[in-house]
Amino acid sequence: MTLQQLKYVIEVARSRSISHAAQNLFISQPSLSNAIKELEKEMGITIFSRTNKGILITQDGTEFLSYARQVVEQAELLENRYADAQPKQQHFSVSAQHYAFAVSAFVRLLRDYDREEYEFTLRETRTYEIIADVKNLRSEIGVLYLNAFNKKVISKFLREGDLAFHELFVAKPHVFISSSNPLAKRDYVTLAELDPYPSLSYEQGDYNSFYFSEEILSTLSRPKNIKVSDRATLFNLLIGLNGYTISTGVISHKLNSKEIIAVPLQVNERIHVGYITHKNVGNSRLARIYIDYLKESIEEGLRQHKI
């Protein structure tokens, strides 16, 4: 086993494709395939399962990758400490539900990351895909919520993926509405008072189950419903149609329009927001920094809106 083989495996896992990984590594596809097969034979495990739709990381492969990443990271630290070589291009990826504080933390990380080369990814995506991304090591961190309704189902998926949920804060539900909405000056609103207005929510694709909804109370029937796929569209519809969406109440006016405000929703519910990580993979330095910025962004949002 060589350090180069470990780097090959990590790149294949990141690219999710032998051919794409070979291009990124500037080697031929057969050479890469042979190197991985030799490593699998030497270790006595199957790291990748080849399918018609691409490659999948096996359970043994997931554990092997966790150790491989640590070895490569330590080797790079040694190189950077004792050699004159330039630091390697760093990779970091986050998958999250549509939370402004997750974006704010990502912005802070990029501003403070003083390197000439890097490849960072922020995926605001569907709930099931967040879980799959962290399970399959496409992302180090996933940001989502649990509540009394979805906890049992989501926790089952987390257990099956060897994932851990780390709570960041507990929020009382709020509605995001336009500052010109007739309900904007209310101290709180009720579900009945929201009936005349369009309910906006994020569509979840093939996994459009109530349990994967980004909005609590997803099983309630509402007279007007609009599904969207991105936060910009949702906010535009909040303003243009006097719509609303249910969330944590934490919003960043640095990143979002000041025309959007949060008003408490009078319901007996709680939203437990947190991040997920893979149990078999230690957090990288960038992941640890991002988590710290997540906490700071949340605290800032809670203070700003007195939640």
Side-chain angles (χ1 to χ4, degrees), residues 93-155:
S93 179
V94 174
S95 295
Q97 291 178 331
H98 299 77
Y99 294 125
F101 56 80
V103 179
S104 178
F106 195 79
V107 170
R108 293 186 186 190
L109 178 64
L110 283 168
R111 285 177 175 171
D112 290 350
Y113 190 73
D114 187 19
R115 294 285 183 90
E116 292 184 0
E117 294 186 15
Y118 56 79
E119 182 176 317
F120 285 12
T121 304
L122 173 61
R123 302 182 71 231
E124 282 194 327
T125 188
R126 300 161 178 167
T127 303
Y128 181 85
E129 291 174 0
I130 294 169
I131 297 171
D133 283 350
V134 181
K135 174 184 176 181
N136 295 321
L137 306 181
R138 289 188 66 192
S139 292
E140 278 195 70
I141 302 293
V143 183
L144 46 73
Y145 83 92
L146 299 178
N147 72 339
F149 176 72
N150 73 1
K151 184 176 181 179
K152 185 175 181 179
V153 172
I154 298 297
S155 294

Side-chain angles (χ1 to χ4, degrees), residues 167-181:
E167 187 171 290
L168 289 166
F169 71 107
V170 181
K172 295 180 180 179
H174 286 64
V175 290
F176 286 162
I177 57 176
S178 165
S179 58
S180 61
N181 189 295

